[in-house]
């Protein structure tokens, strides 16, 4: 029985991906920064562990609890929507600590077992913001573009050992906690300097008025397909809006 470890599995894409792999007969290690009862169904093939990607001790403990794994899905992330001029550098560093350095830390922790075994798949969940020019996402996009570059190079390093690294690029999903927290829990107008306000409002209205959006299931199914892909494809858009952006690009 194969085992997948998924970070950020308490909600959204991570939770849906955990459920999808479990439904396919896999052993699932669902990691969360703050484990909560009732988030996922009880099963002898589904194990919840604590893992904060910014805390090295919890990464080590999670892998000790998980044992051998076949796939890592680096899904944990934090949002950031706002004008860069109004974004404190402390917030920029916080976003990179989770979205960039956290992914690298979890990946580095699993590499020895993958390399020694001669197999394994690393799926890094980024975002469709890497596929187009989107306003109000400068910091978030930078953190995800870094992982796109990281994964592309990593894939070449790991290929001689039979280990694969890929990215999944989800589109915009309005039904996740991630989306609800995108403005740090506060109205966007509190995060945008006054001179930018009219433009920012128009940009947000244009975004919410778009015709295509992604569902959590789109991402879970794409992660599943990515894990099983053997064509050498590196990047996998997930959701109709992400696919549209990728085709336009």
């Amino acid at each position: 029985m194969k085992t997948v470890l998924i970070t950020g599995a308490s909600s959204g894409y991570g939770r849906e991906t955990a459920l999808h792999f479990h439904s396919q007969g896999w052993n699932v290690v669902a990691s969360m920064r703050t484990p909560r009862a009732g988030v996922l169904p009880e099963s002898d093939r589904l194990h919840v562990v604590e893992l904060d990607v910014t805390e090295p001790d919890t990464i080590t403990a999670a892998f000790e609890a998980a044992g051998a794994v076949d796939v890592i899905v680096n899904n944990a992330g934090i949002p950031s929507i706002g004008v860069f001029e109004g974004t404190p550098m402390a917030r920029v560093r916080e976003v990179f600590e989770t979205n960039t350095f956290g992914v690298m830390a979890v990946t580095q922790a699993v590499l020895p077992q993958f390399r020694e075994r001669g197999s394994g798949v690393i799926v890094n969940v980024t975002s469709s913001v890497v596929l187009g020019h989107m306003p109000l996402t400068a910091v978030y996009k930078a953190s995800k573009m870094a992982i796109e570059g990281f994964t592309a190079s990593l894939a070449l390093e790991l290929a001689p050992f039979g280990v694969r690294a890929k990215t999944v690029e989800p589109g915009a999903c309005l039904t996740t906690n991630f989306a609800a927290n995108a403005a740090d829990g506060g109205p966007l107008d509190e995060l945008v300097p006054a001179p930018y306000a009219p433009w920012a409002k128009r940009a947000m209205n244009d975004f919410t008025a778009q015709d295509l959006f992604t569902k959590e299931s789109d991402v879970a199914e794409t992660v599943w397909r990515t894990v099983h892909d053997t064509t050498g494809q590196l990047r996998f858009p997930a959701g109709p809006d992400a696919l549209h952006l990728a085709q336009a690009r």
Side-chain angles (χ1 to χ4, degrees):
M1 184 183 300
K2 291 190 175 182
T3 299
V4 58
L5 187 151
I6 304 165
T7 66
S10 63
S11 65
Y13 303 148
R15 179 178 181 276
E16 192 69 21
T17 300
L19 292 171
H20 188 80
F21 274 77
H22 181 263
S23 72
Q24 299 299 317
W26 279 49
N27 185 46
V28 176
V29 181
S31 77
M32 307 173 188
R33 185 169 55 184
T34 307
R36 302 192 307 274
V39 171
L40 291 164
E42 292 187 8
S43 168
D44 58 0
R45 290 190 293 102
L46 207 161
H47 312 278
V48 175
V49 299
E50 179 183 356
L51 194 163
D52 182 335
V53 300
T54 68
E55 296 291 340
D57 289 346
T58 71
I59 296 174
T60 300
F63 276 106
E64 289 175 351
V69 298
D70 300 281
V71 173
I72 292 292
V73 179
N74 282 308
N75 166 76
I78 58 175
S80 183
I81 292 181
V83 171
F84 179 69
E85 182 181 334
T87 305
M89 284 306 299
R91 176 60 178 169
V92 176
R93 293 187 177 92
E94 181 184 7
V95 170
F96 270 79
E97 279 295 335
T98 296
N99 295 359
T100 307
F101 303 135
V103 170
M104 292 179 173
V106 172
T107 300
Q108 194 170 64
V110 80
L111 286 182
Q113 65 166 286
F114 280 4
R115 174 179 48 76
E116 291 167 8
R117 192 169 64 232
S119 66
V121 183
I122 299 158
V123 177
N124 294 328
V125 179
T126 60
S127 169
S128 63
V129 297
V130 305
L131 298 171
H133 304 299
M134 301 181 186
L136 302 172
T137 62
V139 173
Y140 182 69
K141 179 172 181 174
S143 72
K144 294 297 189 177
M145 286 292 288
I147 291 302
E148 290 280 335
F150 165 69
T151 308
S153 184
L154 182 69
L156 299 176
E157 295 179 17
L158 299 180
F161 302 101
V163 180
R164 290 172 285 148
K166 302 167 180 291
T167 63
V168 167
E169 302 159 338
C173 181
L174 301 183
T175 57
T176 62
N177 290 341
F178 190 93
N181 295 329
D184 296 329
L188 185 64
D189 57 10
E190 294 180 6
L191 305 173
V192 175
Y196 292 91
W199 169 82
K201 184 176 181 180
R202 288 195 301 273
M204 286 301 295
N205 288 341
D206 289 344
F207 170 74
T208 56
Q210 69 184 43
D211 295 328
L212 300 175
F213 286 99
T214 293
K215 303 188 300 292
E216 289 97 330
S217 59
D218 295 329
V219 179
E221 291 164 6
T222 302
V223 171
W224 174 261
R225 181 164 56 88
T226 301
V227 166
H228 292 86
D229 179 79
T230 58
T231 67
Q233 182 175 336
L234 177 65
R235 300 179 174 92
F236 292 77
D241 52 329
L243 288 168
H244 178 75
L245 283 170
Q247 291 164 359
R249 188 181 186 187

